[in-house]
Amino acid sequence: MALLTKIEAFHLQTPLGFRFCVLRRPAGGDRSCGTIIHVPAFAEELNKSRRMIALAADAWAQDGWTVLQIDLGGCGDSEGDLADARWDGWLDDVRCAHQWAQGHGQGPVWLWGLRLGALLASEAAQRFGLDCGLLLWQPVTSGKQHLHQFLRLWTGAQIVGKAGVAEETSPLKRLARGEPVEVAGYEIAPGLAQGLEAAQFRVTGTSKGVHWFHVSPTGAMPSSPVLERLQTEWQAAGVGLQVHSAVGPSFWQTQEIELAPDLLMQSRQALRRKPGVSL
Amino acid sequence: MSVRPVVFACGSDQLIGVAHLPDCPSRVGVVVVVGGPQYRVGSHRQFVSLGRALQEGGFACLRFDYRGIGDSVAPMRSFEGVDDDVRAAIDALIDAVPTVDHVVLWGLCDGASAALIYAPRDARVSGVIAVNPWVRSEASLAAAQLSHYYKGQLLSLNFWRRLLGGEIRIGQSIAGLTSVLVKRFRPRRGGQSVATLAQTFIDRMGNGWLRMRGRVLVILSGNDLTAREFADLCRTQPVWHEAVMPGPNFVELPAADHTFSRREWKRSVEFLTLEWLRAQASSISGGEAQKEITELQA
């Protein structure tokens, strides 16, 4: 059977160490729509979403895109430990991936972020003035909220009586005292927590357009003051923002591995359209 | 020392792995067989940490996604159907480190089950490290539910009166539970097994376990339902008795959870793995030296 896509895995050297990358391309190799860079979700959400992301990446490669998945520093198969990771370092990882895409590919570059990766992608695009479009899947809009939700796993562990947790001070308090914390096996340093707490969606002026996808079992679009604010800001800045809702499970956090085919189908359609055109 | 991404074929599919390569690798290498909903990185990067520890300790290690998990886009498959994937991974490890001629499979959860099923089919596999092996069947699950949810109720006459009177609806789990009770109190007939699908995979594991006897390290977590089910199996099935007997091939970490989600638990597993691998490596060398001496004397 002829393979439709070609897959490679390599280490992208960055100033902060190697970053593990998976690269998928159409097997023919002659046509390239551009490069899509996947910026992954945080902690266990990365693990749970890995298959959905792989299937989507493969689908895009079949559509003619070059798709680069990068593991951030201290995450996945990249160099370093999470305990040493910092938000600024992750922003720089996105910059390095974008630089790679510009050096190796042709056509437009899209940053495709899932959850915290969406927030990171938007901030990197703005901070470094990256020439790119943003494809955002269930974006985390507040790093602070996301961190606090993650730290709640500690409370859960305390309730089910996991040994060793009962006697400890809460992770938020320990982070505030400048101590690292270990939650659900992930070690987080105060430096990373501070970066996460400060992270906010930013208006990006250089964007080729933004596709914002919300996934829910009903496909309903919840009202989101953050999204409304961003819509206003992005419109004022002349950024084409398209908001989509898809039907599907929260595949980044389900117990077993689940998929959201509708999200993928709609996203494929979105990228086939001329980017940057508002609905 | 280096870490190298590898892409290798399994049939018509491409699999992705990461090889940890020490400068002077032992002839014993390790292939990590992933279990549960995880991929080659593991919960809280457990397998990354393990791979690094093995590399530090002088053992080459390959972690990989079998078909249907992580970066593989092939259709999902059960852990019972990954023999070809494990074989391809062993090939890939030996390709990367040609001096490796013995392979230990390291598996967690249903990865441990897959490792035990595969082990006797490949002469290159010299050992298995089975961590919280998955032996769930309707019966073991029902037994676990029995101890967790119904313990108090079972002693109540009223519960049985209501159950037998049809007042309590018998859902699937209770049906399983009832059949466990029936099985438990029915006299055992010489090793006869009920031919359910679930027992088939446990039988295949048992076969692997017997053929690998003395070359399997079992590590169990104290705070884990999967480990408890395995320990129950070992207590009730004579074939498995030895798997949880005190000695160099069995360790329990009393406080640890299923994925060893604290640094000290992770480190303990890495330490135990390394110690056991070193013993294996020296017994392989010792065995071969002895064979040479015998041959020379002959």
Side-chain angles (χ1 to χ4, degrees):
Chain A
M1 191 184 79
L3 293 168
L4 296 171
T5 58
K6 221 164 63 182
I7 186 165
E8 290 165 55
F10 67 97
H11 286 160
L12 177 66
Q13 298 300 331
T14 77
L16 297 169
F18 73 75
R19 298 294 173 255
F20 178 88
C21 291
V22 176
L23 184 67
R24 294 175 205 264
R25 281 190 273 210
D30 48 355
R31 88 201 149 99
S32 178
C33 307
T35 305
I36 300 174
I37 298 168
H38 179 64
V39 187
F42 178 63
E44 217 58 20
E45 291 193 357
L46 178 159
N47 296 19
K48 288 290 172 71
S49 62
R50 193 84 190 184
R51 177 160 171 81
M52 177 68 197
I53 296 304
L55 291 172
D58 187 67
W60 270 309
Q62 287 183 35
D63 287 349
W65 293 85
T66 297
V67 188
L68 181 75
Q69 284 173 255
I70 181 169
D71 285 348
L72 304 169
C75 303
D77 281 308
S78 282
E79 197 168 357
D81 290 315
L82 184 63
D84 302 316
R86 297 294 178 272
W87 185 254
D88 280 354
W90 287 351
L91 289 168
D92 206 56
D93 289 345
V94 178
R95 185 190 61 77
C96 291
H98 186 271
Q99 196 176 34
W100 181 93
Q102 288 197 315
H104 289 78
Q106 33 179 293
V109 177
W110 283 80
L111 297 183
W112 162 38
L114 173 68
R115 304 283 293 144
L116 189 69
L119 177 57
L120 185 70
S122 91
E123 196 174 327
Q126 204 245 0
R127 178 178 298 196
F128 304 116
L130 303 179
D131 184 13
C132 64
L134 293 174
L135 176 69
L136 309 174
W137 277 7
Q138 200 79 0
V140 164
T141 51
S142 156
K144 183 174 181 171
Q145 207 175 38
H146 196 59
L147 174 70
H148 290 199
Q149 269 166 8
F150 179 75
L151 297 180
R152 255 178 245 147
L153 290 172
W154 176 86
T155 320
Q158 203 180 31
I159 290 166
V160 300
K162 292 260 177 84
V165 174
E167 70 280 11
E168 289 173 5
T169 324
S170 88
L172 261 181
K173 280 187 188 150
R174 277 178 286 144
L175 284 169
R177 288 203 302 243
E179 298 167 14
V181 296
E182 187 182 44
V183 173
Y186 290 90
E187 292 181 52
I188 296 172
L192 177 62
Q194 283 157 14
L196 279 167
E197 294 213 325
Q200 291 290 338
F201 255 93
R202 310 252 186 244
V203 173
T204 162
T206 57
S207 174
K208 288 191 156 56
V210 182
H211 287 290
W212 180 297
F213 280 90
H214 182 82
V215 194
S216 71
T218 58
M221 196 67 213
S223 72
S224 156
V226 179
L227 180 55
E228 281 164 25
R229 175 177 63 79
L230 286 169
Q231 269 177 309
T232 315
E233 286 180 13
W234 276 341
Q235 255 163 22
V239 177
L241 169 66
Q242 295 181 37
V243 180
H244 314 255
S245 63
V247 177
S250 307
F251 59 86
W252 53 90
Q253 59 186 27
T254 47
Q255 183 63 35
E256 296 301 323
I257 301 305
E258 292 193 37
L259 304 173
D262 181 44
L263 172 67
L264 175 55
M265 192 190 71
Q266 287 199 44
S267 300
R268 283 173 98 165
Q269 283 168 357
L271 286 198
R272 279 191 201 122
R273 276 184 229 134
K274 199 179 166 196
V277 179
S278 294
L279 283 173
Chain B
M1 289 204 295
S2 70
V3 180
R4 192 193 304 162
V6 288
V7 179
F8 56 97
C10 177
S12 59
D13 293 298
Q14 300 279 293
L15 304 185
I16 291 190
V18 172
H20 296 263
L21 307 169
D23 288 335
C24 299
S26 159
R27 56 192 294 191
V28 178
V30 177
V31 169
V32 176
V33 186
V34 173
Q38 288 297 332
Y39 80 113
R40 60 175 187 276
V41 161
S43 299
H44 45 82
R45 302 181 90 205
Q46 179 186 10
F47 307 141
V48 175
S49 179
L50 175 69
R52 289 173 178 175
L54 291 175
Q55 183 181 26
E56 285 282 321
F59 294 94
C61 168
L62 179 75
R63 305 176 279 109
F64 76 108
D65 292 343
Y66 58 71
R67 282 172 293 175
I69 68 167
D71 285 327
S72 158
V73 294
M76 281 174 122
R77 55 180 53 230
S78 148
F79 67 91
E80 294 177 64
V82 298
D83 283 357
D84 292 345
D85 310 60
V86 176
R87 188 182 303 279
I90 293 173
D91 292 345
L93 176 67
I94 292 173
D95 258 2
V97 195
T99 52
V100 165
D101 57 3
H102 291 73
V103 173
V104 168
L105 299 177
W106 191 107
L108 171 68
C109 195
D110 53 33
S113 314
L116 281 168
I117 290 171
Y118 178 82
R121 293 154 188 242
D122 190 332
R124 297 170 297 181
V125 177
S126 60
V128 174
I129 299 181
V131 187
N132 296 329
W134 175 262
V135 290
R136 179 157 298 171
S137 61
E138 264 179 57
S140 74
L141 185 62
Q145 283 169 330
L146 165 70
S147 71
H148 276 69
Y149 307 119
Y150 300 110
K151 215 176 219 168
Q153 292 207 34
L154 282 172
L155 298 173
S156 136
L157 189 64
N158 191 35
F159 171 81
W160 285 101
R161 205 173 278 145
R162 288 170 64 209
L163 179 73
L164 297 171
E167 234 187 285
I168 295 174
R169 288 182 65 86
I170 303 178
Q172 247 184 337
S173 64
I174 312 258
L177 158 73
T178 315
S179 78
V180 165
L181 291 173
V182 169
K183 277 176 208 150
R184 198 154 271 189
F185 295 113
R186 191 170 54 194
R188 206 174 280 284
R189 287 174 219 135
Q192 194 180 7
S193 71
V194 182
T196 65
L197 196 65
Q199 276 174 325
T200 305
F201 95 79
I202 297 170
D203 288 345
R204 290 166 70 204
M205 280 172 73
N207 180 42
W209 155 253
L210 283 176
R211 305 251 315 260
M212 296 299 291
R213 201 160 217 160
R215 295 179 291 155
V216 180
L217 168 65
V218 172
I219 301 178
L220 296 184
S221 299
N223 188 10
D224 175 37
L225 194 62
T226 303
R228 292 282 66 72
E229 290 175 63
F230 179 75
D232 279 350
L233 175 86
C234 296
R235 261 193 297 277
T236 53
Q237 305 282 315
V239 167
W240 287 96
H241 277 343
E242 218 176 88
V244 289
M245 291 228 298
N249 290 334
F250 172 63
V251 190
E252 185 169 46
L253 297 175
D257 60 12
H258 186 61
T259 65
F260 307 90
S261 71
R262 290 175 71 93
R263 183 195 275 251
E264 69 251 38
W265 301 334
K266 246 184 286 194
R267 294 289 174 270
S268 297
V269 171
E270 290 161 8
F271 176 80
L272 292 165
T273 298
L274 277 168
E275 288 290 287
W276 196 81
L277 288 173
R278 284 187 188 118
Q280 243 233 352
S282 68
S283 90
I284 288 166
S285 308
E288 283 181 7
Q290 190 56 49
K291 201 172 145 204
E292 272 171 36
I293 292 167
T294 316
E295 276 167 5
L296 281 174
Q297 282 169 345

